[in-house]
Amino acid sequence: MGIFNKFSFIFLVIFLSLSANAQVQRHRFVIQATKVKRLCKTHNTITVNGMFPGPSLEIKNGDTLEVQVVNKARYNVTIHWHGVRQMRTGWADGPEFVTQCPIRPGGSYTYRFTVQGQEGTLWWHAHSSWLRATVYGALIIRPREGKSYPFPKPKRETPILLGEWWDANPIDVVREATRTGAAPNVSDAYTINAQPGDLYKCSSKETTVVPIDSGETNLLRVINAALNQPLFFKVANHKLTVVGADASYTKPFTTSVLMLGPGQTTDVLIRGDQPPSRYYMAARAYQSAQNAPFDNTTTTAILEYKSASCAAKKCNAPTPIMPSLPAYNDTNTVTAFSQSFRSREKAEVPTDIDESLFFTIGLGLNNCPPNFRKRRCQGPNGTRFTASMNNVSFVLPRNFSLLQAHQQGIPGVFTTDFPANPPLKFDYTGNVSRSLFQPVPGTKLYKLKYGSRVQIVLQDTSIVTPENHPIHLHGYDFYIIAQGFGNFDPKKDTSKFNLVDPPMRNTVGVPVNGWAVIRFVADNPGVWIMHCHLDVHINWGLAMAFLVENGVGELQTIQPPPPDLPIC
């Protein structure tokens, strides 16, 4: 055997042994209206395969997913695979008018992508209007064949999906807000695995029950799938050991309470080390925006020790023990929790920065256009709510997706002049002049060269109201190297940067009246939206997008669009 053939043979053996364990997992998602009863009322709710929440998908690191989405609902739909890196497969990312046109009623589209180098808990959800109120599910990524978790193997695993429920059609809720310019109605309930729980009317019979046995250690995969609300989560009398977040392992730490912004996931170990009984798991709002209305109800599930179960024997089950949850505005607890996260291993944080960006984020108010009637300007003082990054309120195109326009060189769809810094410096977290309340609408992208090392300072502003904003970047994980309060000051705040073991996330909570600094390497070509994961804010324009150019050769180039890509 010649030397070339010998090497080819060795390479082939390695390739075959790797790919032998990797599988192609195929699923079919039918988007359809299904009768769902909650809070005493039945609604025609948009679901996947008639399930609410939708199916949990379980794969291994290295597997390929092929999910055919068939739209039998009356609304446009897309599916986003939240946190999946989508290396070179931007066409499968899912945000409507960003990487694809929506799947029209009666249409279908197959999402094809490989999950590589990620393990833990992610999730999938609709990325079109407010359909993700009910169209969502868990995406569980296990280690490769023969590999194990970097923590003791749990006895059982349970996805815990925190959600938000409107006693109305969520699409009608957002359409009404868009028409009036006011804030949308807040939700009527929160849910755990789509059930509101014992504290709501007509709900206790279906309350989610999570089993545990004395002495066992279980894994809870907690996902905040709520539309507009960061949530505290607690289990009465039990400690939780955090071992992962956003499909990255973390240095384990123990806490009695979690706080997740919409979009975030947290993997925790829970031990059956309490007297056998029934204990409430509870979630309720973390509300950082002052004077803004919010849903102040509490959702519950029940952690039930097997020996305390009444399923097999007729008995009066004990009333579950209730945890004491933090106050709605307990920012100190949120800060202590978010500052506990560290990467498990020494992190490869980019140090020589090519692109140093500073983005202000926050709300705004548009003056009532002269041709609008008063009823269309029901925001504060006869205005319409808006939101922006660096004073640009993001407008999605309507005739092409951004990725399609970039790939095909279609002019007039977007510009690449998104500002690297706010157009005006001001006291971001102080009293802001009214003249700064009105942003400029635009479809502006920021261009990044392939491989460039990027740092972004995300600065909250007190325009209208300061607020904790969960900012999600598509196509990338990033390191959160620092967070703080007030205005970011490069002179004194740079010394706080953690370049050793910062956590890797796909969604960062920018503190209320504060800032966060993230870093990543732009090694995934395509168009990637970065937006606030409070859906009301993305509707108002709190978003921007990066255009990451192709590098050299096939492996640094986005794949061509699939033949069944929906057309506008």
Side-chain angles (χ1 to χ4, degrees):
M1 189 185 284
I3 189 152
F4 177 75
N5 286 346
K6 191 174 175 181
F7 278 122
S8 298
F9 178 72
I10 292 167
F11 178 77
L12 187 65
V13 167
I14 293 169
F15 175 76
L16 288 174
S17 66
L18 279 175
S19 50
N21 291 331
Q23 293 176 325
V24 178
Q25 308 258 15
R26 292 183 177 87
H27 298 272
R28 189 168 190 259
F29 279 9
V30 178
I31 313 291
Q32 62 193 51
T34 304
K35 291 204 178 320
V36 172
K37 188 176 183 181
R38 296 288 184 278
L39 310 182
C40 321
K41 257 168 79 189
T42 301
H43 292 275
N44 259 341
T45 299
I46 305 302
T47 63
V48 173
N49 300 347
M51 297 166 66
F52 174 51
S56 281
L57 303 185
E58 299 192 17
I59 63 169
K60 292 192 300 295
N61 180 358
D63 283 357
T64 296
L65 264 173
E66 284 189 9
V67 184
Q68 184 194 26
V69 176
V70 180
N71 187 4
K72 291 190 176 175
R74 61 192 177 106
Y75 305 110
N76 293 338
V77 73
T78 65
I79 300 291
H80 169 51
W81 313 91
H82 186 110
V84 172
R85 287 287 322 265
Q86 297 291 1
M87 296 303 290
R88 302 176 50 239
T89 51
W91 305 105
D93 189 43
E96 71 170 350
F97 297 112
V98 178
T99 58
Q100 67 168 96
C101 296
I103 306 164
R104 304 291 182 189
S108 73
Y109 176 48
T110 300
Y111 293 89
R112 295 180 185 83
F113 56 92
T114 301
V115 176
Q116 200 72 268
Q118 295 181 283
E119 288 177 19
T121 307
L122 295 176
W123 62 302
W124 56 266
H125 61 79
H127 211 298
S128 182
S129 184
W130 271 21
L131 282 185
R132 84 171 173 90
T134 55
V135 177
Y136 61 84
L139 174 56
I140 294 161
I141 310 160
R142 304 193 185 285
R144 295 177 191 276
E145 204 76 55
K147 302 279 184 194
S148 57
Y149 297 132
F151 47 82
K153 191 174 192 303
K155 185 76 196 292
R156 70 181 86 226
E157 303 181 9
T158 310
I160 303 286
L161 291 109
L162 310 177
E164 213 170 350
W165 176 262
W166 275 260
D167 206 8
N169 179 347
I171 304 291
D172 292 343
V173 174
V174 67
R175 282 180 178 170
E176 174 68 1
T178 305
R179 201 179 58 75
T180 63
N185 291 345
V186 299
S187 54
D188 297 288
Y190 299 112
T191 56
I192 297 177
N193 293 353
Q195 294 296 341
D198 288 359
L199 308 185
Y200 297 91
K201 58 186 180 181
C202 308
S203 299
S204 51
K205 258 214 315 251
E206 280 79 27
T207 297
T208 299
V209 176
V210 177
I212 195 166
D213 216 354
S214 293
E216 72 184 24
T217 298
N218 293 346
L219 178 65
L220 304 179
R221 299 176 177 274
V222 188
I223 299 165
N224 185 352
L227 238 71
N228 294 321
Q229 194 63 57
L231 294 165
F232 289 116
F233 174 82
K234 207 167 176 183
V235 184
N237 296 9
H238 288 72
K239 288 269 198 277
L240 304 169
T241 301
V242 175
V243 291
D246 292 2
S248 289
Y249 295 120
T250 62
K251 282 195 175 82
F253 68 93
T254 301
T255 178
S256 62
V257 64
L258 310 179
M259 196 293 284
L260 293 87
Q264 292 185 320
T265 73
T266 307
D267 290 347
V268 297
L269 297 174
I270 184 168
R271 269 188 67 75
D273 57 7
Q274 294 300 304
S277 189
R278 303 165 88 228
Y279 298 86
Y280 274 130
M281 301 174 149
R284 78 173 188 188
Y286 164 50
Q287 178 63 9
S288 58
Q290 287 182 337
N291 305 322
F294 70 100
D295 176 353
N296 63 1
T297 61
T298 303
T299 178
T300 55
I302 298 168
L303 182 75
E304 184 174 76
Y305 281 72
K306 277 199 213 151
S307 45
S309 167
C310 284
K313 49 193 184 295
K314 286 179 182 159
C315 68
N316 289 323
T319 304
I321 298 159
M322 189 73 185
S324 63
L325 285 150
Y328 297 114
N329 62 352
D330 188 348
T331 293
N332 289 342
T333 291
V334 173
T335 305
F337 177 67
S338 62
Q339 289 183 348
S340 302
F341 284 87
R342 295 279 184 277
S343 276
R344 197 177 171 91
E345 313 290 338
K346 187 177 184 319
E348 291 177 27
V349 188
T351 46
D352 298 327
I353 299 302
D354 303 306
E355 295 275 2
S356 189
L357 308 174
F358 188 104
F359 291 174
T360 55
I361 57 176
L363 304 185
L365 298 172
N366 280 333
N367 295 331
C368 194
N371 58 331
F372 275 31
R373 293 190 176 164
K374 264 192 179 156
R375 63 170 180 259
R376 296 201 60 192
C377 298
Q378 292 181 31
N381 305 319
T383 58
R384 290 177 60 84
F385 271 110
T386 183
S388 66
M389 287 191 178
N390 278 357
N391 205 44
V392 179
S393 189
F394 195 68
V395 179
L396 286 170
R398 278 282 169 260
N399 299 326
F400 301 98
S401 72
L402 295 170
L403 185 56
Q404 194 186 355
H406 162 57
Q407 183 83 354
Q408 296 172 8
I410 301 163
V413 178
F414 63 83
T415 56
T416 53
D417 55 348
F418 185 86
N421 294 283
L424 197 71
K425 283 190 174 159
F426 56 99
D427 179 3
Y428 307 115
T429 53
N431 285 330
V432 181
S433 158
R434 279 282 172 156
S435 63
L436 294 168
F437 273 42
Q438 186 152 341
V440 179
T443 309
K444 296 173 184 286
L445 277 54
Y446 191 89
K447 205 183 264 193
L448 292 172
K449 280 200 160 39
Y450 182 92
S452 55
R453 293 153 298 194
V454 184
Q455 172 178 297
I456 310 173
V457 177
L458 295 161
Q459 172 73 58
D460 187 31
T461 65
S462 53
I463 295 176
V464 184
T465 177
E467 191 167 358
N468 180 298
H469 293 276
I471 301 294
H472 172 47
L473 173 59
H474 288 228
Y476 288 90
D477 285 327
F478 48 73
Y479 290 110
I480 304 172
I481 59 169
Q483 287 167 295
F485 291 96
N487 298 331
F488 176 77
D489 180 349
K491 287 194 187 72
K492 68 175 200 296
D493 291 329
T494 308
S495 62
K496 300 173 188 163
F497 286 4
N498 174 4
L499 303 177
V500 179
D501 59 355
M504 185 185 260
R505 303 294 298 254
N506 61 54
T507 304
V508 56
V510 178
V512 53
N513 248 332
W515 50 267
V517 184
I518 65 171
R519 286 186 181 179
F520 64 97
V521 177
D523 58 358
N524 192 10
V527 176
W528 307 105
I529 190 169
M530 183 166 80
H531 65 90
C532 182
H533 220 275
L534 306 177
D535 265 29
V536 57
H537 291 177
I538 187 175
N539 284 112
W540 290 340
L542 214 174
M544 59 79 62
F546 289 106
L547 193 169
V548 181
E549 296 176 319
N550 285 329
V552 179
E554 190 187 354
L555 294 180
Q556 296 181 4
T557 301
I558 189 161
Q559 292 175 3
D564 63 338
L565 188 73
I567 52 173
C568 282

